[in-house]
Amino acid sequence: MHSTLKSVLRTDLLKCLNQSLVNQSHWWANIKMAPPDAILGVTDAFKKDTNPNKINLGVGAYRDDNGKPFVLECVRKAEAVVASQNMDKEYTQITGVPDFCEASARLLFGNDSDIIKNKQYLTAQSISGTGGLRNGFEFLRKFYPYQKLVYMPIPSWGNHNPIASDSTFEVKSYRYYKPSTRGFDFEGCLEDISNIPERSVILLQACAHNPTGVDPTQEQWREISKVVKQRNLMPFIDLAYQGFASGDIDRDAFTVRLFAQDGHEFLVAQSFAKNMGLYGERVGALTIVAREQDDLQRIASQLRVVIRRLYSNPPRHGAHIASTVLNTPELRSLWLSEVKGMADRIITMRQTLVDNLKKEGSVHNWQHISDQIGMFCFTGLNEQQVGRLINEFSVYLTKDGRISIAGVSSKNNAYLAHAIHQVTK
């Protein structure tokens, strides 16, 4: 018995020693596999499908009517201008290309804004809109003197929650989308915002809400602004689609300009991915509105420290392109025409899809498709219906029924309507 026990103990000791050696030589053994990205999964499945009628409605990037990536003519011309200047490749400032930052702020607020006239803002270039959000939440993590609590709409863009969480914010929610109407839950939204603890941060999407495509009316925004002010909340506005939503840069900036006029101090993350097609250039900005010049100077000094520690300073090329477009009258005019053309194609595809569903004989009310705005649409399809669209018709979308209207064209619109009708009749 004694020898048997010694043998067992010796075996256990050797196992422990061996495991210790394995752990020392295999440092990454405890890392768990991350969950797959839902959008990338849709794209991967689409690529493997051999059906010639297949449609990818998952990708959040604009496509022309032939389903091809679209480079704006104004961008091509601006790129040529930048190349002709034979610039060096030195670092830019920590807060980015100055001309770009100023042009971004003027695009946000308008040239006649008191915010611009009185220099009541600080704009720093960021790694697109995602980087603007990351910079903003990291800044708030370090310097916002109240509870690290942020309220977001249900639903919201999939990256909002983790970006805030990574900056140690506790994330809570307020009602926004109403499934029964496939529209905005105005009453629920106001009620929830009215009960948010004072001095919390509230995340707002300025236009073309992702993923629903549902926006408040201007009058509803006015009511929201009043309640946010009454509750003494800190707004963080995400503006990823200025010009791309309605085709009108001023209309799409309404929310930002309203909050400025109503006297809020707030943050805005801005992206030039959709409205200039600069997806891979990663061009964006973070703007912080503060009414006191002393506050702005301190904010600027500390924001530079935040950026320095995250990525030192931003890339120059895309910012020079965007700056050239915004600051050159003929290129700006061309851009306004082109961004309206992109928005108009999206709007047309929405209405055409509704019309084609009627032609198919659908008895359902699809008006929400044309009422919603921007790149994305919450169709109202359930997970089972989505499964049938994928398996029977090779129409690829996320399981929540969200589609990217950018993937719809004059060539596949009727086929899409037919497929949706077949799974919903």
Side-chain angles (χ1 to χ4, degrees):
M1 176 75 79
H2 184 66
S3 62
T4 302
L5 180 60
K6 286 173 66 177
S7 176
V8 170
L9 290 173
R10 187 182 299 111
T11 300
D12 288 345
L13 178 61
L14 288 171
K15 285 181 179 178
C16 289
L17 288 171
N18 288 334
Q19 185 61 49
S20 177
L21 290 171
V22 168
N23 288 341
Q24 289 181 24
S25 62
H26 192 187
W27 296 105
W28 316 120
N30 294 324
I31 297 177
K32 296 180 180 178
M33 183 66 71
D37 184 280
I39 303 299
L40 293 179
V42 170
T43 301
D44 288 343
F46 169 81
K47 289 178 178 177
K48 295 173 184 176
D49 196 321
T50 58
N51 185 341
N53 295 318
K54 65 182 181 179
I55 307 174
N56 185 1
L57 302 179
V59 178
Y62 183 78
R63 297 291 182 264
D64 64 18
D65 199 49
N66 294 312
K68 302 298 182 183
F70 180 62
V71 180
L72 278 66
E73 184 182 353
C74 66
V75 167
R76 291 290 194 206
K77 290 185 175 182
E79 203 163 28
V81 171
V82 172
S84 71
Q85 293 171 348
N86 198 27
M87 296 182 188
D88 57 41
K89 298 299 181 182
E90 291 293 301
Y91 295 121
T92 187
Q93 297 179 19
I94 292 174
T95 51
V97 176
D99 288 348
F100 165 76
C101 292
E102 167 128 7
S104 297
R106 290 181 177 275
L107 183 65
L108 270 181
F109 300 112
N111 289 327
D112 296 329
S113 168
D114 287 340
I115 298 290
I116 297 294
K117 291 177 181 178
N118 299 325
K119 191 64 178 176
Q120 295 175 324
Y121 71 93
L122 166 73
T123 297
Q125 184 184 334
S126 63
I127 312 298
S128 201
T130 304
L133 289 162
R134 183 73 176 91
N135 292 351
F137 274 111
E138 189 63 13
F139 179 83
L140 291 173
R141 180 188 71 81
K142 294 187 68 176
F143 301 108
Y144 192 60
Y146 307 104
Q147 70 263 39
K148 303 301 187 289
L149 184 60
V150 58
Y151 281 76
M152 298 185 178
I154 302 176
S156 200
W157 179 48
N159 231 3
H160 280 149
N161 187 318
I163 288 172
S165 297
D166 283 353
S167 291
T168 72
F169 272 78
E170 180 183 359
V171 179
K172 294 193 175 183
S173 58
Y174 59 89
R175 281 173 285 178
Y176 187 89
Y177 178 74
K178 195 169 187 176
S180 60
T181 64
R182 300 187 179 95
F184 179 48
D185 187 355
F186 180 52
E187 293 77 13
C189 178
L190 273 190
E191 181 180 354
D192 284 357
I193 294 176
S194 298
N195 291 307
I196 293 177
E198 289 192 9
R199 302 187 186 280
S200 299
V201 176
I202 181 169
L203 182 83
L204 304 161
Q205 294 191 40
C207 65
H209 181 272
N210 182 358
T212 68
V214 172
D215 285 352
T217 65
Q218 291 188 356
E219 189 54 44
Q220 288 170 338
W221 272 122
R222 291 187 178 94
E223 292 299 314
I224 291 169
S225 176
K226 287 178 185 177
V227 176
V228 168
K229 195 80 179 290
Q230 290 166 1
R231 295 302 300 161
N232 201 18
L233 306 178
M234 170 58 73
F236 196 157
I237 302 175
D238 187 359
L239 178 56
Y241 299 94
Q242 187 177 359
F244 188 93
S246 68
D248 183 333
I249 59 171
D250 297 318
R251 177 179 170 185
D252 293 346
F254 173 83
T255 305
V256 173
R257 296 177 187 182
L258 171 69
F259 275 66
Q261 291 165 7
D262 286 351
H264 295 272
E265 292 189 315
F266 58 100
L267 302 87
V268 186
Q270 192 177 6
S271 171
F272 289 88
K274 305 296 192 299
N275 60 9
M276 283 194 186
L278 295 173
Y279 300 96
E281 299 290 355
R282 311 311 294 142
V283 184
L286 171 68
T287 295
I288 300 177
V289 174
R291 306 291 170 168
E292 302 295 331
Q293 290 301 313
D294 287 347
D295 292 345
L296 279 170
Q297 290 177 20
R298 293 193 305 276
I299 289 168
S301 70
Q302 293 293 356
L303 184 58
R304 283 194 289 268
V305 173
V306 169
I307 293 171
R308 175 70 170 152
R309 292 174 181 174
L310 286 174
Y311 52 84
S312 189
N313 48 41
R316 296 172 51 178
H317 185 67
H320 281 302
I321 292 172
S323 176
T324 301
V325 170
L326 293 174
N327 291 314
T328 308
E330 57 269 29
L331 293 183
R332 183 186 178 95
S333 178
L334 177 58
W335 171 59
L336 293 175
S337 173
E338 289 187 289
V339 75
K340 186 177 187 306
M342 291 190 292
D344 286 350
R345 194 187 85 74
I346 295 290
I347 293 167
T348 298
M349 287 302 100
R350 286 179 177 276
Q351 186 58 55
T352 304
L353 181 57
V354 173
D355 294 342
N356 281 332
L357 281 162
K358 291 178 181 177
K359 290 178 183 177
E360 286 287 327
S362 177
V363 296
H364 299 293
N365 182 1
W366 297 102
Q367 185 178 337
H368 60 280
I369 293 177
S370 54
D371 286 346
Q372 294 170 14
I373 192 170
M375 183 172 288
F376 300 109
C377 170
F378 251 28
T379 60
L381 298 172
N382 60 40
E383 193 168 342
Q384 182 181 7
Q385 291 166 335
V386 169
R388 287 191 61 195
L389 279 178
I390 294 171
N391 296 325
E392 298 177 27
F393 297 95
S394 297
V395 175
Y396 289 87
L397 62 160
T398 52
K399 63 182 180 180
D400 59 3
R402 187 203 80 164
I403 63 173
S404 172
I405 301 294
V408 184
S409 71
S410 61
K411 300 172 179 62
N412 64 25
N413 200 304
Y415 177 77
L416 175 60
H418 173 75
I420 292 175
H421 176 55
Q422 292 303 307
V423 304
T424 57
K425 65 180 182 180

